[in-house]
Amino acid sequence: MTIAAVLRRKGADIVSVSPETLAVEVARLITSRRIGAVLVREADGRVVGIISERDIVRAVAERTNATHGVFVRDIMTRDVVMVSPDTPVDSALEIMDEGYFRHLPVVDGQGRLLGIVSVRDLVRHRFAQQAQDVESLKAYVTRTYMH
C-alpha cells in the first residue's frame, strides 16, 4: 500500500493560499471546506509552508490582541515534510506520528505537487484494505471447503 493508491482513491484536490493571505480567511476556508490544513504556495506554485487548524489556534492563544491583520506568512509552518507517491502508507503514518502533524503533501521526483494526504485518508485507506483482505480470506476459505 502506497500513497499513490491513497491519492487515486481520494483524488488530488489541493487547497492552497498565498503567504499574503489573512489568517482569518484561512480559518474560514478550513471551516467551509471541512479540512484541517491548507498548503501555502508562491505564485509559481512552490510550496513554502502549510497552515493548519493548530497553527491558527496557536496564533489566537499567543496574541492577546485579535488576530485580525495576521498573515499566513506570520504563523505558517515553514519546514514542510513531504512524501512521494511511492512512500508506503505505514511509513507516512510513522512520519506523521513522529512529527506530531496530520497532513503530508505528496510530490513527485521533480518536486511537483501531486496532492495532500491526511491521517484520516491513510487510516480510511488501511481500513478499506483490511476489509478487502478479510473478504478475500473468506472467499478463499469458503472455496477451499466447497471443493
Side-chain angles (χ1 to χ4, degrees):
M1 281 192 292
T2 64
I3 295 299
V6 176
L7 283 180
R8 277 192 300 276
R9 177 173 275 156
K10 83 163 269 209
D13 187 29
I14 301 169
V15 178
S16 63
V17 297
S18 79
E20 291 75 34
T21 304
L22 288 170
V24 69
E25 291 177 36
V26 174
R28 288 185 190 117
L29 180 62
I30 285 173
T31 302
S32 68
R33 296 287 300 264
R34 298 183 67 196
I35 55 178
V38 174
L39 291 175
V40 183
R41 301 198 298 180
E42 292 290 353
D44 64 3
R46 277 182 310 116
V47 175
V48 294
I50 190 168
I51 184 163
S52 68
E53 296 166 313
R54 188 177 299 159
D55 295 320
I56 294 169
V57 168
R58 185 180 307 118
V60 169
E62 291 174 352
R63 289 166 173 76
T64 53
N65 301 336
T67 55
H68 291 283
V70 174
F71 293 93
V72 166
R73 68 174 176 262
D74 300 324
I75 62 173
M76 69 183 186
T77 300
R78 294 176 185 278
D79 296 324
V80 182
V81 176
M82 300 186 208
V83 294
S84 78
D86 298 329
T87 303
V89 168
D90 288 342
S91 296
L93 285 166
E94 285 178 27
I95 291 167
M96 291 174 162
D97 184 49
E98 290 171 8
Y100 294 100
F101 49 81
R102 297 175 301 206
H103 299 86
L104 281 171
V106 182
V107 293
D108 67 12
Q110 288 74 44
R112 287 183 299 236
L113 186 61
L114 302 175
I116 186 169
V117 293
S118 69
V119 70
R120 175 180 289 180
D121 298 329
L122 301 183
V123 169
R124 224 181 244 156
H125 185 79
R126 280 180 95 190
F127 282 151
Q129 187 66 46
Q130 287 174 346
Q132 186 177 8
D133 291 346
V134 167
E135 290 305 314
S136 294
L137 285 171
K138 284 180 183 177
Y140 174 77
V141 169
T142 303
R143 216 175 26 247
T144 302
Y145 284 112
M146 298 298 278
H147 293 292

